[in-house]
Amino acid sequence: MDVDTLGAHDAGDAERVDEARARLLHKRRIVLTAVAAIVAYFIQSGVVAERLYAPDVGARRLLFDGGVEPVVRKPAKRRRARHEDDDVAVPRAGNAKWFRSWHTSVYASYTTLKPADYYDEHPESDIVLRKEFESKIRMPLRMFQRLRDEMLSDVAMRERDTAVPLELKLIASLRFLAVGAGWDAIEDAMNISRPVLSKWFDERFLPWMMRRKYPLHVRHAETEEELAALMAPWREAGFPGCVGCCDATHILYGGFEAFDKWKYCGKGGVPTLTVNCTTDYWGRFIHVSHLSPGAENDKTLIKSDAFQSRVMVDNPLYTKANFTLQTSHTQNEQHEGVYVLTDGGYCGWRTTVSPIPHPRPGSAEERWNKHHESLRKNVECAFGVIKIRFRVLRSTILRRDRNAVEDMFKVCACLHNMLIDERLAQRERVAAEHLERDWRRADADELELFARRMPEDAVHVAAAAPCAESTRELHKLQRSLASHNTFYMHARASMDAMRPGEGGLNEHIVRGML
């Protein structure tokens, strides 16, 4: 038999196999269609349900092959109310059997406090109760009542009349952020069930704060007037053109997946979440980035920070802002583009001014570095204050949802800013009454006045070392700031020697400039 004959036989066998397979599939399709039709008929007629729950075991076996009996559905158990069997004189009825006695808790007494305006006229009334309330809630009474009234006036926050009062749930949420304890501890203190408190916190409090309060209180400058107000205290502190400090902080985190633990463990070996923040001169947060795993360093964080990587670099309001640095007795330098103070762990961007590395001992660079570090600590102080005030940020957070953890941090930052705004407003009222002034700052006129009397050989800044094009502008700005700082420190020392009441040759000139 030749090769062509063998090929023909093989082709014929393949055709027969395909035909047999097609017939088998057709038979299976017919059988499945018939079974489906029979099952549909019995379901529609109720025969299956009737025989499934029939009391006769033999009838149930007729439905199933092999004599296997189905599991009979058990009747549902009746839930017993929490306080149904309480031995009290007057038994509870209706919803009262389920509710805890929240009106008997210590925190319920805080709802009896009168409006804050009343205590302005009667300062001796409820002193102990007010101090206790502000200490536990981390918030002045006036600010709490304002927040409560805004929530009550919002349609989205309204609840049924039989629910726990919103004021108590707001107190519980603020207490949870303040102490960082679990909801079980808050439940025992407030005498309100844990599901009610945790659900309201996650589904009502956090979304409302992020929607209504966070955009108003945690925001960067968007107009020239706001940017000028942001730069003013830094200019008087010796850093013209600065808008804030930037650094990252860590939050202990335990909600990670086991196989992802390496992403969250940094140099400390403890799983954390890290967030990059920018604060102003007073320690208010002007921007908070998204949370990232704790293993990421500052160089990675700042690239994902929208404010530092886009607004500071691309927004003309920030890139075209002008400021003047006094680099000698007779020469001023004009610079364009604002910056923030950072440590040495960030990228060598012109917008992130870090200390000059390896300064010569006793030089102007070393003095500028110390002044830089003393002001950059504002952001470190802000981290310390917010973590002491809201201790939930110091405890290990076990939530799986990182977005919820991020919302918690941002809400804490928002409340932190609200408290600072409240105290700054009060300080401004006191300063307006007593004409107080911060003597640790010097304005442009004072700087120019005292710079004329400074020895010419006191200003000496070494030339910048050769560097890449990307960091050349940063090094130039650092040297100019170091020279400006020399004049600033001399002016401030002269002002300290001529404080009001201590005499001095030019005291009347200083008083006139104030």
Side-chain angles (χ1 to χ4, degrees), residues 248-379:
T249 187
H250 290 262
I251 304 171
L252 297 177
Y253 184 58
F256 54 87
E257 300 287 348
F259 56 83
D260 282 339
K261 184 177 180 179
W262 62 274
K263 295 181 181 179
Y264 300 90
C265 294
K267 60 181 181 181
V270 181
T272 60
L273 291 172
T274 182
V275 56
N276 199 64
C277 303
T278 305
T279 61
D280 64 0
Y281 182 84
W282 306 108
R284 289 176 296 196
F285 292 89
I286 61 177
H287 185 264
V288 179
S289 68
H290 296 292
L291 263 66
S292 301
E296 296 187 2
N297 56 20
D298 293 343
K299 290 183 176 63
T300 305
L301 289 176
I302 198 171
K303 293 177 181 178
S304 60
D305 190 328
F307 178 71
Q308 296 294 335
S309 61
R310 288 194 285 274
V311 176
M312 292 277 291
V313 178
D314 300 331
N315 193 337
L317 178 64
Y318 291 83
T319 58
K320 301 298 182 182
N322 296 320
F323 60 93
T324 303
L325 296 178
Q326 186 169 358
T327 56
S328 67
H329 291 78
T330 59
Q331 182 180 1
N332 294 335
E333 287 186 1
Q334 295 292 330
H335 290 262
E336 191 177 71
V338 297
Y339 58 90
V340 295
L341 304 182
T342 64
D343 55 22
Y346 285 90
C347 306
W349 296 350
R350 191 262 179 206
T351 56
T352 55
V353 176
S354 58
I356 299 176
H358 312 297
R360 181 171 53 86
S363 63
E365 295 95 324
E366 185 183 42
R367 293 192 297 269
W368 179 77
N369 280 359
K370 291 181 179 180
H371 192 200
H372 176 284
E373 292 169 1
S374 67
L375 289 176
R376 196 195 62 82
K377 290 179 182 177
N378 287 1
V379 64

Side-chain angles (χ1 to χ4, degrees), residues 6 43 61 133 220 280 309 383 409 413 415 419 460 470 487:
L6 289 174
I43 290 176
R61 285 182 177 176
F133 172 79
H220 54 80
D280 64 0
S309 61
F383 290 150
F409 184 90
L415 295 173
L419 290 169
H460 176 73
S470 59
F487 291 95

Side-chain angles (χ1 to χ4, degrees), residues 41-101:
Y41 169 78
F42 281 113
I43 290 176
Q44 292 177 359
S45 60
V47 176
V48 173
E50 181 180 354
R51 292 190 176 183
L52 182 62
Y53 296 103
D56 185 17
V57 177
R60 292 201 300 269
R61 285 182 177 176
L62 291 176
L63 185 61
F64 298 94
D65 295 332
V68 179
E69 297 184 20
V71 178
V72 181
R73 182 183 300 173
K74 297 180 180 180
K77 292 184 178 180
R78 175 181 174 273
R79 292 181 59 193
R80 300 186 66 84
R82 179 190 295 270
H83 303 286
E84 185 174 354
D85 300 328
D86 288 357
D87 187 10
V88 293
V90 181
R92 300 189 181 190
N95 292 334
K97 295 187 296 184
W98 297 89
F99 293 159
R100 300 186 63 163
S101 302

Side-chain angles (χ1 to χ4, degrees), residues 107 110 113 127-141 144 171 174-175 177-179 388-391 419 423:
Y107 290 85
Y110 297 145
L113 288 171
I127 296 179
V128 177
L129 190 62
R130 281 187 290 147
K131 288 184 177 180
E132 183 180 323
F133 172 79
E134 294 179 359
S135 175
K136 289 185 177 181
I137 307 304
R138 308 291 199 268
M139 185 179 295
L141 177 62
F144 171 80
I171 292 176
L174 295 175
R175 185 62 178 165
L177 295 176
V179 298
I388 288 294
R389 178 175 289 149
F390 305 108
R391 302 207 172 191
L419 290 169
R423 292 175 181 175

Side-chain angles (χ1 to χ4, degrees), residues 232-233 235-238 281-282 427-428 430-447 450 488 491-492 494-496 498-500 509-514:
R235 182 182 64 253
E236 296 182 4
Y281 182 84
W282 306 108
R427 182 184 301 178
E428 289 178 358
V430 174
E433 296 175 359
H434 301 282
L435 297 178
E436 295 181 354
R437 189 180 189 279
D438 186 1
W439 279 85
R440 304 305 295 174
R441 295 188 290 169
D443 59 19
D445 295 334
E446 294 165 345
L447 185 62
F450 292 108
Y488 167 80
R492 198 177 71 175
S494 302
M495 291 172 59
D496 290 341
M498 294 186 297
R499 292 185 182 181
I509 300 178
V510 178
R511 285 175 176 267
M513 289 189 296
L514 298 182

